[in-house]
Amino acid sequence: WPTSHQGTTLPLHQGSPSFLNIRASKLMLKKFLQLHSHDILFLAEVMVDVCKVCNSFWNSLNLKLFAVNSTPQAAPNLWGLCSNNLSPSIVCTSDQHITCYFNWDQQLVLCSSVYASTSQFPWKLLWSDLVYLQKRHQGPWFLIGDFNCILGNHEKHSRCLP
């Protein structure tokens, strides 16, 4: 899925930024990452305390943890990982996204990983953040994640309206 910005297409290939909404064991994650190379990787819904994963685990996969989101009353649910040879610069984090800059093929690229709330008020705050970032950044931007969007009544599973 090539990403366009003002007529410029970035070729994506193995190692491109990826987003995984994962509820898996460390072993399952390790097997997946050994099969698929990633330079930038975001994990959502990890359901493990970030402090319980040793740096040696990430090093064995040639990855390092460079960011976690900030959640007010819970453990971070969005983690940013990258290959050891990259040094992303954090732009901002919130309870719903991590945004960073990194060099991609000699070009500075903005990358936002989203794990959106299902509630309307926090969701509006997320979109406000993203619009602000869009206005400030003029180059390529990877915007990936789980937006928890419901497009119609056929997608809901409860009696509440979307």
Side-chain angles (χ1 to χ4, degrees):
W1 35 260
T3 302
S4 280
H5 177 74
Q6 299 176 352
T8 303
T9 301
L10 294 174
L12 300 183
H13 47 78
Q14 187 171 2
S16 297
S18 299
F19 179 92
L20 295 173
N21 191 330
I22 189 163
R23 290 185 183 194
S25 68
K26 284 188 349 184
L27 179 60
M28 290 171 60
L29 178 61
K30 187 171 187 170
K31 285 181 181 180
F32 175 83
L33 294 175
Q34 287 171 335
L35 290 174
H36 306 282
S37 173
H38 298 280
D39 290 329
I40 302 274
L41 176 67
F42 294 95
L43 301 176
E45 284 195 296
V46 184
M47 303 301 183
V48 173
D49 185 353
V50 70
C51 298
K52 293 189 178 187
V53 182
C54 299
N55 285 337
S56 61
F57 175 76
W58 301 123
N59 286 334
S60 72
L61 298 168
N62 193 33
L63 294 171
K64 63 182 174 185
L65 183 70
F66 71 88
V68 294
N69 69 335
S70 53
T71 53
Q73 299 172 350
N77 59 2
L78 186 58
W79 301 2
L81 300 153
C82 67
S83 61
N84 286 323
N85 61 338
L86 292 179
S87 298
S89 300
I90 305 301
V91 175
C92 61
T93 65
S94 77
D95 59 338
Q96 297 183 86
H97 73 93
I98 295 172
T99 299
C100 63
Y101 278 113
F102 66 96
N103 286 311
W104 186 269
D105 292 334
Q106 291 89 34
Q107 191 169 17
L108 193 62
V109 176
L110 187 67
C111 184
S112 296
S113 176
V114 172
Y115 184 62
S117 172
T118 56
S119 300
Q120 187 175 12
F121 181 72
W123 203 69
K124 286 182 179 184
L125 291 175
L126 168 66
W127 283 104
S128 176
D129 286 351
L130 296 177
V131 167
Y132 176 78
L133 289 166
Q134 179 191 23
K135 289 177 182 176
R136 295 208 48 207
H137 179 70
Q138 297 300 310
W141 184 13
F142 286 108
L143 181 59
I144 56 179
D146 183 349
F147 288 82
N148 281 316
C149 293
I150 297 176
L151 301 176
N153 284 338
H154 66 284
E155 294 183 349
K156 69 180 185 73
H157 296 287
S158 68
R159 294 186 304 171
C160 299
L161 293 176

